[in-house]
Amino acid sequence: MKSVKWGILGAAKFAREHMARAIHAAEGAEFYALATSSSEKAADFQAFNPNLVIHDSYDALLADPEVEAVYVPLPNHLHVEWTLKALAAGKHVLCEKPMAMKEADFDAIIAARDASGLLAAEAYMIVHHPQFTRAKELLASGVIGDLMLVDTVFSFNNAEDTNNIRNKPETGGGALGDIGVYAFGSARFVTGEEPVSIRNAHIVRENGVDVFTQVMAEFPSFAYQGTVSMRMANRQHITFHGTAGHITLTAPFNAGVYDIAELILEAPATERHVERWPTVNQYVLQVENFGKTIRTGAAYPCPLEFSRGTQAMTDMVLAAE
């Protein structure tokens, strides 16, 4: 299979530390080009890919006929604009989450995707990790009985990093957009259900951005409670609690960075069962799945419609505040 040639719009820290390296390592992918006007930032990427083509503007990279797919790691408020520009330039697009700041903003992206025949998707990497497909499989098997509660938490503390785009309202900052997508989307992905109502949404803001959100929601067959925060010590956790047992993911979101991915199944009908994935890189799997969809037409694990559903839940939370 011919490798997909990738370009990255901007020399973001996350792109440098994770996604650029994942593209470089992925089977069927080539990290071909980077758009940045900073030679210093470019050097950080050239350190592991000396043959990298450097463009001094985003538009120049989009005009490069060699680039087939574009990764967009720009600040949140620029995601829709540059996703649409990349699609208009004939490029497949993988855009960081949240892809849009409200559900209605997905309309233009979905229309552009359908009109172009190109692949456009949110970089929601967790659904590419086998721990989530395994949790989905176990839940569907009935091993924990009827699902009663999904409990999620995702937190970190970046209070001292005042220049971080997550702490700035003008760049679409806030915990809900940055990590709420994981807390909400993971519950939706594993259960296959959509929220019916938000029973409670407690949101704390600082300088115009949400830094702590606690949510209680009702799904058709279970209750949901979740907390996301940018002002609490690092923690990640999901539990799917049923009438006959529970499934826990101990490093659900930054597997391999926060901790080793681990799934724990506890149910009276079975012995305590633990599965671990110490070497899986979900970013690499995301790139490889993206390439397979482009080259073979295989179904992509995270279509825009799924991402739109997560944003719809976020909108519901904000409306319930």
Side-chain angles (χ1 to χ4, degrees):
M1 185 174 72
K2 181 184 176 184
S3 292
V4 175
K5 287 188 174 182
W6 285 81
I8 296 180
L9 296 185
K13 180 176 182 288
F14 184 80
R16 182 182 74 247
E17 294 181 352
H18 296 287
M19 279 302 297
R21 294 177 185 275
I23 294 169
H24 194 55
E27 183 177 345
E30 178 185 346
F31 179 27
Y32 172 79
L34 172 72
T36 178
S37 60
S38 169
S39 58
E40 182 179 353
K41 291 181 178 180
D44 292 335
F45 291 81
Q46 291 170 313
F48 63 89
N49 186 7
N51 297 320
L52 188 64
V53 174
I54 306 297
H55 291 289
D56 62 5
S57 72
Y58 303 157
D59 287 320
L61 186 144
L62 294 183
D64 186 336
E66 292 295 314
V67 174
E68 296 178 78
V70 172
Y71 169 61
V72 181
L74 301 172
N76 296 345
H77 69 298
L78 298 175
H79 288 176
V80 173
E81 175 188 354
W82 284 97
T83 293
L84 293 175
K85 286 183 177 180
L87 288 170
K91 314 300 184 185
H92 303 281
V93 186
L94 182 65
C95 179
E96 262 311 317
K97 49 76 202 159
M99 196 171 199
M101 301 302 296
K102 54 186 177 180
E103 181 190 4
D105 289 342
F106 277 90
D107 291 347
I109 303 173
I110 291 173
R113 176 202 65 184
D114 293 347
S116 66
L118 297 164
L119 176 59
E122 184 178 60
Y124 194 63
M125 74 288 187
I126 66 170
V127 299
H128 301 271
H129 197 291
Q131 67 175 330
F132 274 96
T133 51
R134 181 61 172 149
K136 190 178 182 76
E137 176 185 81
L138 287 170
L139 181 64
S141 76
V143 68
I144 65 167
D146 295 331
L147 181 64
M148 299 295 292
L149 175 69
V150 176
D151 185 12
T152 72
V153 63
F154 191 2
S155 63
F156 59 87
N157 193 337
N158 71 350
E160 301 301 318
D161 190 3
T162 56
N163 288 323
N164 193 299
I165 60 172
R166 296 167 182 82
N167 284 319
K168 296 181 177 183
E170 65 270 21
T171 53
L176 277 172
D178 189 51
I179 55 180
V181 293
Y182 296 123
F184 302 159
S186 59
R188 294 177 54 250
F189 178 77
V190 174
T191 67
E193 294 189 16
E194 301 294 343
V196 175
S197 64
I198 306 300
R199 286 198 292 149
N200 183 61
H202 174 56
I203 302 176
V204 178
R205 288 185 168 82
E206 292 179 9
N207 302 318
V209 299
D210 57 285
V211 298
F212 175 93
T213 298
Q214 193 171 40
V215 175
M216 297 181 68
E218 291 292 338
F219 282 70
S221 68
F222 65 92
Y224 170 91
Q225 62 184 21
T227 301
V228 296
S229 178
M230 304 192 302
R231 295 297 182 268
M232 296 166 60
N234 289 1
R235 188 178 175 217
Q236 301 180 20
H237 184 94
I238 302 177
T239 296
F240 300 89
H241 202 148
T243 55
H246 43 83
I247 301 164
T248 297
L249 302 180
T250 61
F253 307 125
N254 293 128
V257 178
Y258 172 75
D259 204 349
I260 293 172
E262 185 176 75
L263 180 151
I264 303 170
L265 169 65
E266 296 184 89
T270 65
E271 294 184 5
R272 186 176 189 269
H273 177 70
V274 180
E275 298 181 29
R276 305 172 85 234
W277 294 267
T279 61
V280 170
N281 186 315
Q282 58 193 352
Y283 302 108
V284 171
L285 293 179
Q286 177 178 238
V287 173
E288 291 178 346
N289 284 335
F290 197 91
K292 287 175 185 176
T293 296
I294 291 173
R295 291 291 185 250
T296 71
Y300 191 66
C302 187
L304 289 177
E305 288 76 7
F306 176 84
S307 298
R308 179 176 183 153
T310 300
Q311 186 59 49
M313 184 172 177
T314 302
D315 291 355
M316 289 173 68
V317 170
L318 291 169
E321 182 183 3

